[in-house]
């Protein structure tokens, strides 16, 4: 709740007129408690979990050649009913674990100093803090994820998330309740280290989940803007981790690739990509001799096709 009776009082306290964004914020938040504003996260998470995966559900259901060529594991297809069942499982955990966790964690937000007042942060401040949040979360998530792949962690907790060897958008938050609680720690560490405004916190929580949905989409589209983010992993990178499953010792990082590179846990993935490039060159050469490549191989072999070749 803002400590100003009127906009004029707020302007006097700041020593300047409010910006348009600050005026909107004042009109919306002036009479709302900080706890109520914090609980907006529950609504935002519900919307992200429910809406963000829908384009991938439509693409998966259409089974159009225009999109199928970008599917990372084309041999694996989930029916619409299977995707709905995954969403229901996610919503059960949302209402039993995620929502209640948000409701009771407000004291920690107050303790670290996340504010709701004026002035609003600048765009550059928001961007800088989001970069810090992503970097901190990525590093701590990497080590927790590696722990969850030890025998005990995988069998007792992490195997639930790996039930989807070819992940879909709805499967991003699909996990054991204990994993949901554990991975809340990396998500909160960044805001705890560099506390900002509640708006920045909202953006962080929403963007992190949207990113997770993107990396679990099962599709590697070449036109995504994330292709231009340095060291960004993406769907192809994380899909390999799910494809290998319990035996995976590669691609533990949640967002970027630098941790896997530094600690040598991307060797399996890099070997697979090296093999893929070699097969592409061989197929391209044989295709040119036979009058061109077929459409199915024009974009190179898939994970399934490489696996079949290795087994042969």
């Amino acid at each position: 709740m803002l400590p100003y009776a009127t906009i004029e009082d707020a302007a006097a306290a700041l020593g300047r007129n409010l910006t348009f964004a600050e005026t909107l914020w004042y009109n919306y938040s002036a009479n709302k408690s900080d706890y109520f504003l914090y609980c907006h996260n529950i609504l935002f998470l519900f919307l992200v979990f429910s809406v963000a995966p829908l384009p991938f559900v439509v693409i998966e259901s259409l089974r159009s050649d225009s999109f199928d060529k970008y599917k990372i594991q084309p041999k694996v297809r989930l029916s619409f009913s299977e995707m709905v069942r995954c969403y229901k499982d996610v919503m059960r955990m949302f209402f039993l674990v995620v929502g209640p966790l948000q409701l009771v964690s407000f004291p920690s937000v107050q303790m670290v100093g996340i504010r709701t007042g004026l002035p609003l942060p600048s765009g550059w401040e928001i961007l800088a803090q989001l970069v810090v949040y992503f970097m901190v979360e990525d590093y701590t998530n990497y080590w927790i994820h590696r722990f969850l792949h030890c025998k005990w962690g995988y069998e007792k907790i992490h195997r639930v998330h790996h039930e989807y060897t070819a992940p879909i958008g709805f499967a991003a938050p699909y996990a054991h309740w204990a994993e949901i609680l554990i991975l809340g720690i990396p998500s909160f560490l960044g805001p705890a280290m560099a506390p900002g405004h509640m708006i920045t916190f909202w953006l962080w929580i929403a963007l992190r989940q949207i990113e997770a949905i993107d990396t679990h989409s099962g599709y590697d589209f070449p036109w995504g803007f994330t292709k231009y983010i340095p060291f960004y992993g993406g769907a192809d990178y994380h899909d390999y981790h799910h494809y290998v499953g319990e035996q995976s010792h590669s691609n533990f990082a949640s967002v970027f690739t630098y941790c896997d590179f530094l600690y040598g846990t991307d060797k399996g993935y890099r070997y697979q990509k090296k093999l893929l490039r070699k097969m592409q060159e061989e197929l391209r050469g044989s295709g040119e001799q036979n009058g061109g490549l077929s459409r199915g191989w024009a974009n190179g072999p898939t994970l399934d096709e490489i696996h079949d070749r290795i087994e042969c």
Side-chain angles (χ1 to χ4, degrees), residues 73-249:
Q73 297 187 51
K75 289 186 177 182
V76 181
R77 289 287 185 181
L78 293 182
S79 66
F80 181 75
S81 61
E82 288 174 316
M83 289 186 281
V84 171
R85 185 171 67 249
C86 178
Y87 174 70
K88 288 180 178 179
D89 290 337
V90 167
M91 283 296 103
R92 184 175 68 252
M93 282 296 158
F94 177 82
F95 288 111
L96 293 178
V97 180
V98 178
L101 179 63
Q102 293 290 317
L103 290 173
V104 301
S105 58
F106 179 66
S108 61
V109 170
Q110 286 182 307
M111 182 180 65
V112 301
I114 294 175
R115 62 186 184 88
T116 60
L118 296 173
L120 292 184
S122 68
W124 287 112
E125 181 182 342
I126 292 174
L127 179 61
Q129 288 178 324
L130 288 175
V131 170
V132 170
Y133 297 171
F134 271 106
M135 296 291 287
V136 170
E137 194 275 346
D138 186 68
Y139 187 81
T140 50
N141 186 292
Y142 170 85
W143 289 106
I144 292 176
H145 195 178
R146 284 191 67 170
F147 163 74
L148 290 174
H149 269 267
C150 72
K151 183 176 178 61
W152 183 89
Y154 191 90
E155 291 180 354
K156 300 297 184 181
I157 300 174
H158 195 49
R159 64 173 178 78
V160 175
H161 184 65
H162 273 273
E163 288 176 10
Y164 290 89
T165 56
I168 58 173
F170 279 137
Y174 179 83
H176 191 281
W177 64 266
E179 182 169 348
I180 294 172
L181 295 177
I182 294 170
L183 292 183
I185 298 172
S187 296
F188 188 69
L189 272 181
M193 293 171 63
H197 199 275
M198 186 65 73
I199 291 176
T200 308
F201 190 71
W202 289 348
L203 282 172
W204 157 239
I205 296 299
L207 288 175
R208 177 62 184 91
Q209 296 307 315
I210 291 171
E211 183 278 330
I213 290 167
D214 173 65
T215 57
H216 286 82
S217 67
Y219 289 85
D220 187 27
F221 298 116
W223 56 74
F225 79 92
T226 53
K227 296 286 185 182
Y228 302 98
I229 299 177
F231 307 109
Y232 183 77
D236 180 67
Y237 190 81
H238 192 68
D239 201 281
Y240 176 81
H241 178 81
H242 275 264
Y243 179 79
V244 179
E246 180 179 2
Q247 307 304 320
S248 179
H249 296 286

Side-chain angles (χ1 to χ4, degrees), residues 3-16 18 26 118:
Y4 313 114
T6 64
I7 289 182
E8 288 73 21
D9 291 341
L14 294 178
R16 59 171 174 78
L18 274 63
Y26 177 88
L118 296 173

Side-chain angles (χ1 to χ4, degrees), residues 2 6 8 19 22 26 40 44 63 69 86 112 133 181 197 212 230 244 272 282 293 309:
L2 299 182
T6 64
E8 288 73 21
T19 65
E22 287 171 337
Y26 177 88
H40 283 46
F44 295 149
R63 304 193 177 185
K69 60 184 178 181
C86 178
V112 301
Y133 297 171
L181 295 177
H197 199 275
V244 179
Q272 179 257 332
E282 292 176 353
L293 291 172
R309 284 288 187 92

